[in-house]
mmCIF file of all heavy atoms in Angstrom:
data_model
loop_
_atom_site.group_PDB
_atom_site.id
_atom_site.type_symbol
_atom_site.label_atom_id
_atom_site.label_comp_id
_atom_site.label_asym_id
_atom_site.label_seq_id
_atom_site.Cartn_x
_atom_site.Cartn_y
_atom_site.Cartn_z
ATOM 1 N N ALA Q 205 16.560 -5.534 -5.039
ATOM 2 C CA ALA Q 205 15.720 -5.089 -6.228
ATOM 3 C C ALA Q 205 14.865 -6.290 -6.596
ATOM 4 O O ALA Q 205 15.310 -7.502 -6.389
ATOM 5 C CB ALA Q 205 16.561 -4.722 -7.361
ATOM 6 N N GLY Q 206 13.672 -6.043 -7.149
ATOM 7 C CA GLY Q 206 12.782 -7.113 -7.501
ATOM 8 C C GLY Q 206 11.386 -6.577 -7.870
ATOM 9 O O GLY Q 206 11.186 -5.364 -8.166
ATOM 10 N N GLY Q 207 10.405 -7.570 -7.845
ATOM 11 C CA GLY Q 207 9.042 -7.223 -8.260
ATOM 12 C C GLY Q 207 8.234 -7.005 -7.010
ATOM 13 O O GLY Q 207 8.535 -7.503 -5.967
ATOM 14 N N GLN Q 208 7.013 -6.369 -7.213
ATOM 15 C CA GLN Q 208 6.074 -6.187 -6.174
ATOM 16 C C GLN Q 208 4.656 -6.236 -6.658
ATOM 17 O O GLN Q 208 4.402 -6.009 -7.882
ATOM 18 C CB GLN Q 208 6.366 -4.910 -5.382
ATOM 19 C CG GLN Q 208 6.083 -3.663 -6.171
ATOM 20 C CD GLN Q 208 6.176 -2.400 -5.305
ATOM 21 O OE1 GLN Q 208 7.026 -2.238 -4.557
ATOM 22 N NE2 GLN Q 208 5.229 -1.483 -5.527
ATOM 23 N N TYR Q 209 3.692 -6.509 -5.763
ATOM 24 C CA TYR Q 209 2.328 -6.586 -6.182
ATOM 25 C C TYR Q 209 1.434 -6.019 -5.091
ATOM 26 O O TYR Q 209 1.651 -6.394 -3.923
ATOM 27 C CB TYR Q 209 1.975 -8.051 -6.423
ATOM 28 C CG TYR Q 209 0.541 -8.276 -6.846
ATOM 29 C CD1 TYR Q 209 -0.088 -7.690 -7.876
ATOM 30 C CD2 TYR Q 209 -0.228 -9.200 -5.999
ATOM 31 C CE1 TYR Q 209 -1.409 -7.938 -8.163
ATOM 32 C CE2 TYR Q 209 -1.556 -9.458 -6.323
ATOM 33 C CZ TYR Q 209 -2.155 -8.835 -7.321
ATOM 34 O OH TYR Q 209 -3.501 -9.021 -7.651
ATOM 35 N N ILE Q 210 0.429 -5.137 -5.452
ATOM 36 C CA ILE Q 210 -0.570 -4.685 -4.552
ATOM 37 C C ILE Q 210 -1.839 -5.414 -4.885
ATOM 38 O O ILE Q 210 -2.435 -5.217 -5.953
ATOM 39 C CB ILE Q 210 -0.762 -3.180 -4.657
ATOM 40 C CG1 ILE Q 210 0.590 -2.500 -4.294
ATOM 41 C CG2 ILE Q 210 -1.848 -2.680 -3.755
ATOM 42 C CD1 ILE Q 210 0.529 -0.947 -4.531
ATOM 43 N N PRO Q 211 -2.359 -6.370 -4.030
ATOM 44 C CA PRO Q 211 -3.594 -7.089 -4.395
ATOM 45 C C PRO Q 211 -4.717 -6.245 -4.599
ATOM 46 O O PRO Q 211 -5.451 -6.506 -5.498
ATOM 47 C CB PRO Q 211 -3.727 -8.060 -3.195
ATOM 48 C CG PRO Q 211 -2.412 -8.167 -2.512
ATOM 49 C CD PRO Q 211 -1.702 -6.796 -2.794
ATOM 50 N N ASN Q 212 -4.905 -5.213 -3.766
ATOM 51 C CA ASN Q 212 -6.107 -4.334 -3.931
ATOM 52 C C ASN Q 212 -5.786 -2.985 -3.188
ATOM 53 O O ASN Q 212 -5.200 -3.075 -2.138
ATOM 54 C CB ASN Q 212 -7.373 -5.039 -3.251
ATOM 55 C CG ASN Q 212 -8.540 -4.127 -3.463
ATOM 56 O OD1 ASN Q 212 -8.902 -3.713 -4.470
ATOM 57 N ND2 ASN Q 212 -9.251 -3.946 -2.232
ATOM 58 N N LEU Q 213 -6.165 -1.931 -3.816
ATOM 59 C CA LEU Q 213 -6.016 -0.670 -3.196
ATOM 60 C C LEU Q 213 -7.372 -0.021 -3.008
ATOM 61 O O LEU Q 213 -7.934 0.638 -3.976
ATOM 62 C CB LEU Q 213 -5.120 0.224 -4.087
ATOM 63 C CG LEU Q 213 -4.940 1.595 -3.699
ATOM 64 C CD1 LEU Q 213 -4.304 1.742 -2.258
ATOM 65 C CD2 LEU Q 213 -3.970 2.441 -4.640
ATOM 66 N N PRO Q 214 -7.969 -0.177 -1.798
ATOM 67 C CA PRO Q 214 -9.343 0.370 -1.612
ATOM 68 C C PRO Q 214 -9.310 1.849 -1.361
ATOM 69 O O PRO Q 214 -8.385 2.337 -0.597
ATOM 70 C CB PRO Q 214 -9.818 -0.436 -0.383
ATOM 71 C CG PRO Q 214 -8.471 -0.746 0.406
ATOM 72 C CD PRO Q 214 -7.444 -0.906 -0.630
ATOM 73 N N ILE Q 215 -10.249 2.611 -1.810
ATOM 74 C CA ILE Q 215 -10.395 4.029 -1.543
ATOM 75 C C ILE Q 215 -11.668 4.214 -0.853
ATOM 76 O O ILE Q 215 -12.734 3.644 -1.181
ATOM 77 C CB ILE Q 215 -10.440 4.803 -2.953
ATOM 78 C CG1 ILE Q 215 -9.156 4.563 -3.765
ATOM 79 C CG2 ILE Q 215 -10.602 6.350 -2.639
ATOM 80 C CD1 ILE Q 215 -7.931 4.947 -3.096
ATOM 81 N N SER Q 216 -11.647 5.024 0.230
ATOM 82 C CA SER Q 216 -12.786 5.343 1.025
ATOM 83 C C SER Q 216 -13.921 6.113 0.170
ATOM 84 O O SER Q 216 -13.566 6.657 -0.813
ATOM 85 C CB SER Q 216 -12.470 6.144 2.215
ATOM 86 O OG SER Q 216 -11.482 5.407 3.055
ATOM 87 N N ASP Q 217 -15.113 5.985 0.605
ATOM 88 C CA ASP Q 217 -16.201 6.708 -0.020
ATOM 89 C C ASP Q 217 -15.847 8.138 -0.159
ATOM 90 O O ASP Q 217 -15.303 8.833 0.770
ATOM 91 C CB ASP Q 217 -17.486 6.540 0.657
ATOM 92 C CG ASP Q 217 -18.114 5.134 0.636
ATOM 93 O OD1 ASP Q 217 -17.532 4.268 -0.140
ATOM 94 O OD2 ASP Q 217 -19.091 4.841 1.363
ATOM 95 N N ILE Q 218 -16.118 8.717 -1.330
ATOM 96 C CA ILE Q 218 -15.816 10.156 -1.573
ATOM 97 C C ILE Q 218 -17.187 10.982 -1.612
ATOM 98 O O ILE Q 218 -17.969 10.729 -2.474
ATOM 99 C CB ILE Q 218 -15.046 10.337 -2.911
ATOM 100 C CG1 ILE Q 218 -13.751 9.562 -2.818
ATOM 101 C CG2 ILE Q 218 -14.773 11.781 -3.218
ATOM 102 C CD1 ILE Q 218 -12.945 9.468 -4.167
ATOM 103 N N ASN Q 219 -17.346 11.889 -0.740
ATOM 104 C CA ASN Q 219 -18.477 12.742 -0.637
ATOM 105 C C ASN Q 219 -18.372 13.895 -1.751
ATOM 106 O O ASN Q 219 -17.460 14.728 -1.542
ATOM 107 C CB ASN Q 219 -18.661 13.191 0.709
ATOM 108 C CG ASN Q 219 -20.065 14.057 0.785
ATOM 109 O OD1 ASN Q 219 -20.890 13.963 -0.047
ATOM 110 N ND2 ASN Q 219 -20.116 14.868 1.836
#
Side-chain angles (χ1 to χ4, degrees):
Q208 68 172 41
Y209 175 59
I210 300 177
N212 182 50
L213 178 55
I215 303 296
S216 302
D217 291 353
I218 301 174
N219 182 18

